[in-house]
Amino acid sequence: MAAETWMIIRRAGLVFMIISLSTLLLYNPSGPLRFFRLSSSCSRSSSLQPLSPKAVVRLNSILKRASMKNNNTVVLTTLNSAWATPNSVLDLFLASFKLGNGTRRFLRHLVIIAMDEKAYNRCRAVHRHCFALRTHGVDFRKEAYFMTPNYLKMTWRRIEFLGIVLQLGYGFIFTDADVMWFRDPFTRFFPDADFQMACDYYKGSPDDMENNANGGFNYVKSNNRTIEFYKFWFSSRETYPKHHDQHVLDKIKSHPYVSEKLRLRIKFLDTAYFGGLCEPSRDLNKVCTMHANCCYGMLNKLHDMKIMLQDWRTFNSLPSKHRNVSIFTW
Ligand SMILES: *[C@@H]1O[C@H](CO)[C@@H](O)[C@H](O)[C@H]1NC(C)=O
Ligand SMILES: *[C@@H]1O[C@H](CO)[C@@H](O)[C@H](O)[C@H]1NC(C)=O
Ligand SMILES: *[C@@H]1O[C@H](CO)[C@@H](O)[C@H](O)[C@H]1NC(C)=O
Ligand SMILES: *[C@@H]1O[C@H](CO)[C@@H](O)[C@H](O)[C@H]1NC(C)=O
């Protein structure tokens, strides 16, 4: 009984928050930045800061240059210095685009979001589209260990940032840099979805809301529904403190505000095409991307990524009739 009352109060609070947020937005005429100004002034915990107007101009020009011209879409990843050092995650990530079938062309559309200065400098040395996302008061230089306060701040900074990209009118494929690209993912995306994402475990249907989201790979179109959805997602960090973006997504994905009010069209991607080490793709004839997740520690991750690349090379060197599942080492 008490628990139920508590839930009702919390829901009412949430609804009230949404209503006041949208009312404020309605009366604030200052363009695409308005939500982020608002969120920074009302968020309690935050050392996160919205982008300065200058940074938005810079971001916009990078997105414009990098985007696929016919559909305003970019590929985005975030990078910190631990992943940026030579022979580390970034190099293997970029190597996969070059080795993959039909993936090299996406390098032209890839924007690397550097979370610190070292990552930015390394990006500039090896890639053409780099954006420095500054976050004052937080040190993202080291490998941010899962669920530490810095890790949480970094994941929320990312959600906030992706919301800005949508507001600027760009859709994106977000990919963690420990995702290996082997084939063109567009061939497996659902044409009629707003928001589609990879899963840790796939339950057999793209519409099953019980699928566990994997925040490391998703494809989001820019439209009113997704823009509002990212605002809602970002603001929900206050409703579920101490949870990272992916957990919060699992909590809000079936929320009536999302399904009934926004009518966001969500799809989950099959691990046969978008696999991870929680549930690897078993058939290299199908795989588009493989995520070196579900393993902890940098050395393990690098080891797994190298094995994936090696398996892909081996697979491609085989005559096509021998390209079957038996060569797998994952
Ligand atoms: C967007 O454009 C790219 C390159 O021009 C193309 O490969 C991709 O399939 C397009 N995606 C959609 C959803 O139209
Ligand atoms: C690459 O993809 C094309 C078309 O999807 C296919 O015909 C070809 O066999 C693939 N090549 C390799 C090496 O997998
Ligand atoms: C959002 O909705 C408004 C009116 O409801 C419409 O004018 C505008 O074009 C929409 N924007 C996008 C990106 O769909
Ligand atoms: C897989 O390929 C090997 C040769 O590389 C072959 O001997 C084996 O029968 C094939 N297995 C299947 C299931 O096709």
Side-chain angles (χ1 to χ4, degrees), residues 240-264:
Y240 304 101
K242 302 202 175 145
H243 285 68
H244 65 75
D245 58 321
Q246 193 170 308
H247 275 157
V248 173
L249 175 61
D250 277 328
K251 292 186 186 294
I252 65 169
K253 67 193 174 188
S254 306
H255 193 285
Y257 177 71
V258 175
S259 52
E260 284 156 34
K261 181 93 199 328
L262 297 181
R263 299 187 161 278
L264 182 78

Side-chain angles (χ1 to χ4, degrees), residues 68 70-71 73-75 96-109 173 179-190 196 217 219 269-270 272-274 284-290 312 316:
M68 303 170 202
N70 47 342
N71 50 37
T73 305
V74 288
V75 180
S96 82
F97 282 88
K98 291 171 190 161
L99 282 174
N101 187 350
T103 49
R104 180 187 282 266
R105 68 193 178 90
F106 289 111
L107 284 174
R108 263 182 287 142
H109 307 297
I173 300 176
V179 172
M180 303 278 88
W181 283 53
F182 293 129
R183 284 196 181 82
D184 179 355
F186 280 110
T187 60
R188 301 294 175 185
F189 287 152
F190 297 92
Q196 36 201 313
F217 189 89
Y219 170 44
L269 300 166
D270 191 337
Y273 304 115
F274 301 93
L284 273 182
N285 290 294
K286 290 185 177 167
V287 66
C288 288
T289 62
M290 266 301 290
W312 178 255
N316 276 295

